[in-house]
Every structure is written in C-alpha cells, then in structure tokens.
Amino acid sequence: SEHFIMWILSNVLIFKKITPEAKEEILKIANFFEYKKSEKIIEEGDITQYIFVLLKGKVSVEVNQNDETIFVGNLEENDIFGEAGLFKDVKRNANIIVEENVWVLRLDRLEFFNFVKKYPFAGIKILLYLIHCLLDKLTGLNRELAFERKPFVNEEEIDEFINQYLS
C-alpha cells in the first residue's frame, strides 16, 4: 500500500531527511521491483540510466575478470548501487546478484533531475547523500589500493631479520 511505501521511504537513509511532499513525489517517479535469489539486477557492461536503493534483502557484487567471477562484497538494506548511471552513460562495472530476495527502488536519471528542479532543497539533500556515499566508496578503494601497493616488508626489515640470525 502507499502508506507502507511512505513509511519505508521515511526510514531509508537517502530519503529520510526530505519533506513528506518530496517523498510523495519520489513515490510517483520511482519504480519498485522485487527480485528472487540468484536473479541479476545489473549486468556488468550494460549501460543504463538508473540508480537503485536496496529497500530489503541482500545482494552480492561480482566482477568478471579473465573468465573468472570475483566476489567484491555484499550490499544490504539502505545501500545504493548504480550511482554512475544517474550521472553519465557508462558501462556497469559489476554484476549485482540477489543473495536473499530483495525489494529495490529504482530511479531514472531524467525523472530524478526533473524532481531536483521541482524540489531543489530535497534534491540537494539526496545529491549530498550520494556524494557522501561515493566518497566513502572512493576512500575504501584508495585504502585497498594503498594496501595492494604497499610492500609487506621493506629492505630495512629484511636486513634486521637476516642480521638477527646471521650476526
């Protein structure tokens, strides 16, 4: 029912701080989908203009590399995926596969930016939330890259280790 969906929108972080009137408009422009276990919501390489909000359930993020599937992580309630599609036409860089039955809200780029024009204050709040989420993801990736690039031991540590046993 509409009341139940409004309750959900009031408890989903990305929409929590916008007015009831703006939530009503989101309700009009959003599409809601239910996916079952093992279904693919996004396929790596596709180009779409959608952003997704995971309202219920759990999905896995996987990438294909050298004919192998690599597990990247899981997303759960309140998580957002497909942000790039909201801003530009780029190939999706991962598969999003349902782990536990999910319910997602999907927003289309054109509809969303029409919403931002109509409700600029709410639009700014949503965009700031998205920027925050993207910066968190970027920080995590930077940490991973730094860890990957950092040698596990440096020359000084090796010399100390060798000297401990050979001196």
Side-chain angles (χ1 to χ4, degrees):
S1 83
E2 191 173 314
H3 291 294
F4 178 67
I5 293 172
M6 284 299 287
W7 178 83
I8 286 176
L9 291 183
S10 296
N11 289 290
V12 173
L13 292 176
I14 191 169
F15 305 120
K16 197 170 190 168
K17 303 289 185 189
I18 64 174
T19 65
E21 184 184 11
K23 286 183 184 106
E24 291 274 349
E25 187 68 19
I26 290 289
L27 190 58
K28 290 177 189 169
I29 66 168
N31 290 294
F32 296 88
F33 296 93
E34 188 174 2
Y35 293 91
K36 304 288 184 207
K37 185 172 175 58
S38 302
E39 282 189 85
K40 199 178 281 188
I41 300 173
I42 290 179
E43 181 146 3
E44 186 176 0
D46 283 354
I47 297 174
T48 64
Q49 299 181 348
Y50 305 118
I51 183 171
F52 298 84
V53 181
L54 190 52
L55 301 174
K56 179 181 180 266
K58 182 178 174 181
V59 298
S60 65
V61 181
E62 299 175 352
V63 295
N64 299 318
Q65 194 172 51
N66 302 327
D67 295 326
E68 278 189 68
T69 300
I70 299 168
F71 173 78
V72 175
N74 286 317
L75 300 174
E76 298 180 356
E77 286 180 24
N78 273 315
D79 285 333
I80 295 166
F81 55 95
E83 303 95 315
L86 196 60
F87 299 102
K88 57 192 292 193
D89 290 331
V90 293
K91 289 183 179 179
R92 298 297 183 157
N93 59 10
N95 295 304
I96 305 294
I97 300 166
V98 177
E99 290 289 316
E100 295 172 3
N101 291 357
V102 299
W103 197 39
V104 297
L105 175 152
R106 186 184 79 184
L107 288 173
D108 170 81
R109 179 191 303 163
L110 184 61
E111 298 262 347
F112 175 73
F113 283 104
N114 285 334
F115 167 85
V116 172
K117 289 175 192 170
K118 192 172 179 180
Y119 297 92
F121 194 64
I124 288 169
K125 285 181 178 180
I126 292 169
L127 288 168
L128 286 171
Y129 181 86
L130 290 173
I131 290 168
H132 183 272
C133 290
L134 288 168
L135 288 173
D136 277 355
K137 287 180 181 181
L138 185 60
T139 299
L141 289 172
N142 284 338
R143 283 191 189 122
E144 285 180 33
L145 281 173
F147 181 75
E148 293 275 327
R149 291 182 183 164
K150 181 184 171 193
F152 289 105
V153 292
N154 62 36
E155 188 175 341
E156 192 176 311
E157 290 173 338
I158 294 170
D159 289 343
E160 281 181 34
F161 180 77
I162 291 171
N163 288 335
Q164 180 181 351
Y165 292 99
L166 298 179
S167 294

